Amino acid sequence: MTIFKEIVDEEFLTVSETKELLADIEAERAMDEDRELRYELARAIEHANRFAVLEPEEAQALVDDLQDIEKVDEPTAYKIANLLPRDRDELRSVYAQQRYSLSGDELDEILNVVAKYA
């Protein structure tokens, strides 16, 4: 017998927003002396602290600006905001699984938006 769990809701987050949420969980767990951080949670907090470059508000503004560009959908905007690519090759890796490729001008337009925040 297999037990399936139902996905109730799904929401995209930037690493900065995740860091903020994990900090709240960490503080809540620190208040309760009996509750220890599980290994996975500690690793997630460490990862978020290491890779969160922007403030949550800046990261969300970057996502909003990226979504204004025609070839950037919501999941891709969040990937770009999390990775903050610096050159065309890094940006192409984000689009590697897409069925289309971007022209040099489109790549440069996206990189210019990222450069404003990074």
Side-chain angles (χ1 to χ4, degrees):
M1 183 172 140
T2 305
I3 299 173
F4 293 99
K5 294 188 178 185
E6 179 183 351
I7 297 175
V8 177
D9 191 23
E10 186 175 279
E11 179 181 355
F12 292 105
L13 294 173
T14 62
V15 176
S16 302
E17 292 168 329
T18 305
K19 177 184 175 182
E20 195 172 69
L21 291 173
L22 289 174
D24 293 342
I25 293 170
E26 185 178 28
E28 180 183 305
R29 297 274 174 103
M31 301 277 279
D32 188 1
E33 296 173 7
D34 296 335
R35 293 180 73 182
E36 224 175 271
L37 286 180
R38 289 193 340 246
Y39 173 77
E40 295 86 359
L41 181 58
R43 294 287 295 169
I45 292 169
E46 178 185 332
H47 178 86
N49 287 337
R50 181 177 297 157
F51 292 107
V53 177
L54 303 174
E55 292 298 317
E57 296 80 20
E58 289 177 314
Q60 190 58 50
L62 172 58
V63 168
D64 293 340
D65 287 351
L66 287 170
Q67 285 183 308
D68 291 340
I69 300 172
E70 181 182 347
K71 295 264 180 143
V72 182
D73 58 358
E74 184 181 19
T76 306
Y78 278 93
K79 281 183 196 175
I80 293 170
N82 288 334
L83 296 173
L84 296 174
R86 294 191 177 120
D87 57 34
R88 286 181 176 187
D89 290 333
E90 290 178 1
L91 186 54
R92 277 192 189 104
S93 69
V94 173
Y95 282 93
Q97 294 181 343
Q98 300 292 338
R99 295 181 183 258
Y100 55 88
S101 61
L102 299 178
S103 69
D105 291 338
E106 291 168 329
L107 291 170
D108 289 340
E109 181 182 5
I110 294 169
L111 289 172
N112 288 338
V113 171
V114 172
K116 284 192 253 181
Y117 293 91

